[in-house]
Amino acid sequence: MSSPTVKLNNGIEIPLVGLGTWQSPPEEVSAAVSYAIKEAGYRHVDCAWAYGNEKDVGKGIRDSGVPRSEIFITSKLWGTWHSRVEECLDQTLTNLGTDYLDLYLVHWPVPLNPKGNHPVFPTLPDGKRDVDHSWDLKDTWKQMEAVLAKGKVKAIGVSNFSEAKLEEIIPTAEVIPAVNQLEIHVYNPQHELVSYLKSKGIVPQAYSPLGSTKSPLLSDEVVTGVAQKHSLQTSDVLLGYLVAKGVVVLPKSVTPARIASNLTGAVAASKKLDSDDIKKLDGLAAEGKQKRFITPPWPVDLGFANWPKLL
C-alpha cells in the first residue's frame, strides 16, 4: 500500500500519510520506522530535533533497505536554535545519517534563550519558559531560506503557527512556507486557519490526528457511526477524513499492526467517506466538542483560537 500525495508550492510531492515519531522511545523507534518503510509501504517519516530520537530514526531508515531518495524526511528546528538554524539542521542531518532533508520546519513560533539554563526547555527563576523576546521570527525565516538556497533542504515550512504568527514572516519572506503542521483532528479542525493556509498555497499537516493517549475521538459516537456505515475502523475515519480534505496526516505508533492499518485505513476511508460524512465530522467541534490536547505552557500569545489563557 502506498500513500496518495499532494503537491507542495514548490512542485515537490509529499505523501499524505506519514509516520509520526514524537514520544516514540529510542529503543523502539528504529524497528517501527524500518517496519513502516519496508513492510507497510510508508514513504514519509516526520522527525524533530527535540524528540531526541533522530539517531534511532535514521537507523530505522537505513535498516529498511529502501533508498534514501524514495523516502520523504521531515525534521524541525527547535526554539533554542532560532538564531543558529544551520547549526541545528547539521545536527539533525548527522543524527539521521543523511545529507539533506525533504522538508524542514520551524517547530514552534517561540524563540527560546540559546544561553539559558537548559538546552531544550530553558526556564526563568519563576519557572516560566525562558523566551528570547529580542529575536524576531522573520530573522529565523531568513535563515530557513538560506539553508534552502544551499540545498541542505528541499522545502521549508512552519509548525504550530497561527495566521497572526504567519503574518509576522510572510510580508518579508522570499519563500512562502510550504506547509504548516498543526494539531488538527475532528475536535480541533481549525477550519478558518486551514482555509487561510489554502488561500496562501500552504499545505496543512495534522499531528495527533487521532487525538492523544486514551483519546475520546476513538469512542466518539458520530465517528464510530460513520465507521460502522462503511465497515471501517474508527481510526480509519479520523485519518481518512483529513486525507480526503488534502490534509497530510502523521499518526504515530510503534506497533506494527497499527502502523500498517493507519496507512491502509486512511487511504480506504478517504475514498469511502461521502459529503454527508464529511459535513457531520466537520461540525463536531462546533457542537460543543472543541478540544485541544497539545497546549505547552508557552508564556506568549500564539494567536490561536481555543488556546488556554496565559498564566
Side-chain angles (χ1 to χ4, degrees):
M1 168 64 70
S2 63
S3 167
T5 62
V6 64
K7 195 171 280 190
L8 299 179
N9 58 15
N10 61 357
I12 291 174
E13 302 269 343
I14 183 172
L16 274 158
V17 183
L19 180 72
T21 60
W22 182 45
Q23 294 182 327
S24 294
E27 65 276 9
E28 295 176 14
V29 77
S30 293
V33 168
S34 177
Y35 174 85
I37 298 168
K38 185 178 180 182
E39 306 295 339
Y42 282 72
R43 290 296 180 269
H44 177 185
V45 182
D46 185 78
C47 320
W49 181 91
Y51 297 168
N53 58 8
E54 289 191 321
K55 281 185 181 173
D56 307 275
V57 170
K59 181 179 185 302
I61 291 169
R62 289 188 297 279
D63 288 350
S64 75
V66 171
R68 163 69 185 93
S69 59
E70 292 179 21
I71 304 167
F72 193 102
I73 304 176
T74 300
S75 188
K76 309 178 193 82
L77 171 83
W78 188 243
T80 44
W81 297 90
H82 275 226
S83 59
R84 302 167 295 163
V85 170
E86 190 169 10
E87 212 177 315
C88 188
L89 171 61
D90 286 344
Q91 288 184 37
T92 281
L93 293 174
T94 299
N95 286 336
L96 289 170
T98 182
D99 57 3
Y100 73 95
L101 293 177
D102 296 276
L103 177 63
Y104 198 41
L105 309 180
V106 180
H107 204 149
W108 287 89
V110 186
L112 298 171
N113 183 355
K115 296 176 180 172
N117 64 0
H118 191 275
V120 185
F121 290 112
T123 53
L124 295 170
D126 64 3
K128 287 187 179 177
R129 294 182 177 179
D130 188 359
V131 174
D132 183 357
H133 294 284
S134 69
W135 187 258
D136 198 315
L137 284 176
K138 68 178 187 292
D139 295 323
T140 307
W141 192 247
K142 286 286 169 229
Q143 292 194 22
M144 293 288 285
E145 291 174 334
V147 295
L148 175 70
K150 277 190 171 183
K152 287 188 169 186
V153 300
K154 292 191 171 181
I156 51 175
V158 297
S159 181
N160 300 298
F161 272 58
S162 64
E163 180 177 338
K165 286 295 176 187
L166 277 162
E167 288 297 339
E168 287 184 28
I169 64 171
I170 286 177
T172 55
E174 291 176 30
V175 178
I176 298 298
V179 312
N180 188 7
Q181 187 178 128
L182 302 154
E183 180 185 347
I184 303 178
H185 45 70
V186 291
Y187 283 11
N188 191 50
Q190 307 206 60
H191 294 310
E192 288 182 11
L193 179 52
V194 169
S195 294
Y196 166 81
L197 295 176
K198 293 196 170 180
S199 77
K200 298 286 185 184
I202 301 170
V203 170
Q205 290 188 319
Y207 68 75
S208 301
L210 302 173
S212 62
T213 311
K214 298 179 182 168
S215 167
L217 274 61
L218 291 164
S219 54
D220 184 275
E221 57 199 36
V222 174
V223 183
T224 52
V226 171
Q228 286 163 0
K229 170 182 164 185
H230 295 291
S231 302
L232 295 163
Q233 295 182 78
T234 311
S235 56
D236 301 342
V237 171
L238 292 168
L239 297 171
Y241 157 73
L242 295 170
V243 170
K245 291 156 71 81
V247 177
V248 176
V249 294
L250 303 164
K252 172 242 148 178
S253 180
V254 292
T255 310
R258 175 62 60 199
I259 289 170
S261 68
N262 281 343
L263 175 53
T264 55
V267 175
S270 71
K271 294 173 180 172
K272 287 184 177 181
L273 297 182
D274 57 40
S275 56
D276 269 358
D277 301 324
I278 300 285
K279 193 175 176 184
K280 269 187 199 169
L281 297 168
D282 271 346
L284 286 180
E287 288 163 12
K289 292 177 177 175
Q290 167 63 43
K291 183 173 176 61
R292 286 181 184 270
F293 298 101
I294 315 298
T295 55
W298 302 117
V300 291
D301 182 3
L302 297 182
F304 282 122
N306 310 115
W307 189 273
K309 283 194 164 52
L310 293 183
L311 297 173

